[in-house]
């Protein structure tokens, strides 16, 4: 078959093929897409330990997943690597959810500091280090 590309926009998720495109069910928003991928691919995967790498808006998608599949995520996800990711706790996030994120996440951010230098982050407690 013809190669297909997949992309997400704020409006919709679309698969593009030769002279046609179609919406991807369950991927109406980027956050919904992450949950869809978990439900339809990772849930079926026999791996007991999963590590997530989330760049930029992928951070918000990852938090959406944590909020909607927390019991499964806390059992299987052993680490989350953010790379200049957008992520923010909500007032509805439970203390257990926040503790999980603080314990298992690291956010690598652009900086002139040497690689791995601890960077200041006061708003959420997630460890933040230089990616340079």
């Amino acid at each position: 078959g013809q190669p297909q590309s997949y992309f997400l926009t704020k409006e919709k998720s679309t698969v593009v093929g030769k002279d046609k495109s179609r919406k991807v069910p369950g991927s109406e928003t980027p956050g919904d897409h992450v949950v869809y991928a978990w439900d339809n691919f990772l849930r079926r995967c026999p791996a007991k330990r999963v590590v997530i790498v989330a760049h930029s808006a992928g951070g918000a998608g990852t938090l959406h997943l944590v909020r909607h599949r927390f019991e499964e995520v806390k059992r299987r996800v052993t680490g989350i690597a953010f790379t200049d990711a957008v992520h923010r706790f909500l007032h509805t996030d439970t203390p257990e959810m926040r503790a999980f994120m603080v314990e298992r996440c690291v956010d690598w951010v652009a900086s002139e500091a040497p690689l791995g230098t601890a960077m200041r982050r006061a708003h959420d407690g997630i460890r933040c280090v230089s990616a340079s």
Side-chain angles (χ1 to χ4, degrees):
Q2 181 72 20
Q4 294 186 335
S5 62
Y6 179 77
F7 62 92
L8 294 173
T9 68
K10 289 182 179 179
E11 293 79 36
K12 62 190 142 215
S13 304
T14 307
V15 174
V16 178
K18 185 177 181 184
D19 300 322
K20 61 185 173 182
S21 65
R22 64 182 167 81
K23 289 185 168 84
V24 177
S27 294
E28 290 74 21
T29 69
D32 291 341
H33 169 70
V34 176
V35 172
Y36 177 88
W38 180 273
D39 290 347
N40 291 278
F41 301 101
L42 285 164
R43 188 179 275 163
R44 298 175 186 173
C45 177
K48 290 182 176 29
R49 294 180 305 220
V50 175
V51 175
I52 296 172
V53 178
H55 176 69
S56 190
T62 300
L63 280 174
H64 187 84
L65 173 67
V66 170
R67 290 180 182 115
H68 288 83
R69 298 292 183 269
F70 184 59
E71 292 304 314
E72 289 179 62
V73 168
K74 78 176 182 178
R75 280 194 308 273
R76 293 185 64 195
V77 174
T78 58
I80 299 171
F82 289 131
T83 60
D84 277 326
V86 177
H87 53 86
R88 174 157 288 197
F89 291 136
L90 300 177
H91 71 280
T92 54
D93 293 339
T94 66
E96 183 182 16
M97 205 177 291
R98 289 173 185 247
F100 168 85
M101 296 296 292
V102 168
E103 177 187 315
R104 299 194 192 174
C105 293
V106 176
D107 189 8
W108 279 269
V109 297
S111 167
E112 293 187 18
L115 176 65
T117 300
M119 306 302 291
R120 180 170 228 160
R121 171 171 297 225
H123 70 276
D124 61 12
I126 292 175
R127 189 164 57 113
C128 185
V129 297
S130 173
S132 301

